Amino acid sequence: MDWRNGKSILYAILAAVFYALNMPASKILLLNVSPAMMAALLYLGAGMGIGILYFLGKKNSVNEKLGKNDLPYTVGMIVLDILAPVFLMFGLSHTTSANASLLNNFEIVATSLIALLVFKEMISKRLWAAIVLITFSSGLLSFEDVSSMKFSWGSLLVLAAALCWGLENNCTRKISSKDTFEIVMLKGIFSGIGSFAIALAIGEKIPGLKYCLTALLVGFVAYGLSILFYVKAQHTLGAAKTSAYYAVAPFVGAFLSFVCLHEPLTKNYLLALIIMLTGTVIVAVDTVILYHTHLHTHTIVHTHDGTTHSHNITHSHEHTHFGHQEQHCHTHEADLTAHEL
């Protein structure tokens, strides 16, 4: 395995685990913090924490800074990151933490389809199958009562958040080669300020100091560190593949919800869990990296100053395939031998 790809996969999984802490922790904090204000504090915590790390390590940064050409994607990223957590916090206040955790997997569907339709990333047949299963599972989780077809507004708001993050993932993908700390700092600070303005505009109050500090800390870990590792993974894996590995987050979040919040298991939830898990396994299989190495020997004959020369050149090619995507990594080793005839 190419160490860069293995490292990127690890980054994507770490991003998922850190983000999984968000659901149960936010559900508890929402007892004392209003939804939009909670979203603001989470992103401000992310921006402030990563900002400190950014300035501490700025002298060692070798990545290119954001430029004028990155402005449309940067603005899009920030606006979507203002809307998504606000939708999520309002949705989380009207549904269970475990339900919201699983519904967040719809972000895979949104990210993949937008990556295909807008940014022309390729999607394999396996990933299409996973998208269908995850979408069906999300539909099951969106009904309070399947027999009466009554929608859960909390679930729909969580799905709206996932859709926003799906588009945001693709915007971030376009600038992921730039300085990661700068991206996360800008994302956190400006998205936090935007959410804070919305919270004040709709009449929400600033909570007590201990709740503010706790929410900021949760934001630094669940959003800041998660986004940091996510952007690093995207640079190598692409938006669709990174979101695929990120799919473990809902299951970790759901597990933490049952353990920490003692939320009940319903038949509808268990069925959706099985379908969602099946889709996630298919996604994981789709991201298996296949390698093969082969040799080519070329004989080149040329004439120089009346003398004919024959050169044997051997190339060793190592190809890296990501599922069905046409991405290749080549390494070449040349063995050159000259013979005068």
Side-chain angles (χ1 to χ4, degrees):
M1 177 184 292
D2 188 328
W3 71 269
R4 290 171 299 180
N5 299 326
K7 193 174 182 180
S8 295
I9 292 169
L10 177 60
Y11 284 154
I13 293 173
L14 283 174
V17 171
F18 282 132
Y19 181 70
L21 300 172
N22 175 46
M23 296 301 180
S26 294
K27 184 70 175 179
I28 294 172
L29 284 167
L30 282 169
L31 297 174
N32 297 284
V33 184
S34 51
M37 187 63 68
M38 183 68 194
L41 291 171
L42 289 172
Y43 263 110
L44 286 173
M48 291 165 61
I50 297 301
I52 292 172
L53 296 179
Y54 172 71
F55 286 109
L56 288 176
K58 190 174 183 180
K59 60 185 178 187
N60 299 320
S61 177
V62 295
N63 292 331
E64 184 182 354
K65 307 302 180 186
L66 292 169
K68 290 183 179 179
N69 293 336
D70 302 314
L71 186 60
Y73 298 110
T74 304
V75 172
M77 173 187 74
I78 290 171
V79 170
L80 290 163
D81 271 329
I82 292 172
L83 297 175
V86 173
F87 284 144
L88 178 62
M89 290 303 123
F90 275 105
L92 190 56
S93 64
H94 291 91
T95 189
T96 66
S97 172
N99 195 53
S101 292
L102 284 192
L103 280 170
N104 251 243
N105 241 1
F106 190 74
E107 185 179 331
I108 298 174
V109 176
T111 299
S112 299
L113 292 180
I114 293 169
L116 170 69
L117 298 174
V118 180
F119 297 100
K120 309 306 178 184
E121 286 191 21
M122 296 184 67
I123 296 180
S124 70
K125 292 180 180 179
R126 282 192 295 264
L127 192 52
W128 276 118
I131 286 173
V132 171
L133 289 172
I134 292 171
T135 302
F136 180 66
S137 179
S138 299
L140 284 177
L141 291 168
S142 299
F143 290 104
E144 290 180 344
D145 185 354
V146 177
S147 61
S148 63
M149 300 296 282
K150 182 181 178 183
F151 277 109
S152 163
W153 286 106
S155 295
L156 292 179
L157 286 170
V158 175
L159 288 176
L163 181 61
C164 287
W165 269 317
L167 182 54
E168 185 271 340
N169 287 338
N170 283 278
C171 288
T172 304
R173 171 72 179 95
K174 301 298 290 186
I175 58 175
S176 62
S177 62
K178 302 301 177 68
D179 192 293
T180 307
F181 285 91
E182 184 181 13
I183 293 171
V184 180
M185 181 182 66
L186 291 174
K187 183 195 291 264
I189 294 296
F190 286 101
S191 298
I193 291 173
S195 298
F196 187 74
I198 291 175
L200 294 180
I202 62 178
E204 294 187 358
K205 305 297 182 183
I206 299 175
L209 181 60
K210 68 176 182 178
Y211 297 117
C212 282
L213 293 177
T214 303
L216 290 172
L217 179 60
V218 171
F220 170 61
V221 176
Y223 280 43
L225 293 179
S226 178
I227 296 169
L228 180 68
F229 285 121
Y230 192 97
V231 174
K232 284 181 176 291
Q234 268 194 328
H235 180 45
T236 301
L237 301 178
K241 292 296 182 181
T242 303
S243 67
Y245 281 107
Y246 193 74
V248 302
F251 301 104
V252 177
F255 174 76
L256 292 175
S257 298
F258 294 131
V259 172
C260 301
L261 304 178
H262 308 293
E263 293 181 345
L265 288 171
T266 64
K267 291 182 179 179
N268 206 38
Y269 176 84
L270 289 174
L271 177 59
L273 175 63
I274 293 170
I275 297 172
M276 185 80 74
L277 186 58
T278 303
T280 305
V281 169
I282 293 174
V283 168
V285 170
D286 188 63
T287 57
V288 171
I289 303 174
L290 303 176
Y291 296 90
H292 71 269
T293 302
H294 58 269
L295 298 176
H296 291 290
T297 300
H298 307 277
T299 300
I300 301 174
V301 179
H302 68 93
T303 302
H304 179 66
D305 294 333
T307 304
T308 301
H309 301 271
S310 176
H311 304 276
N312 292 323
I313 303 176
T314 300
H315 294 280
S316 174
H317 298 269
E318 181 183 90
H319 296 272
T320 304
H321 302 274
F322 294 87
H324 292 281
Q325 294 188 25
E326 295 299 321
Q327 298 186 31
H328 304 279
C329 173
H330 301 276
T331 59
H332 304 275
E333 295 177 359
D335 179 19
L336 179 62
T337 304
H339 303 280
E340 286 192 11
L341 300 180

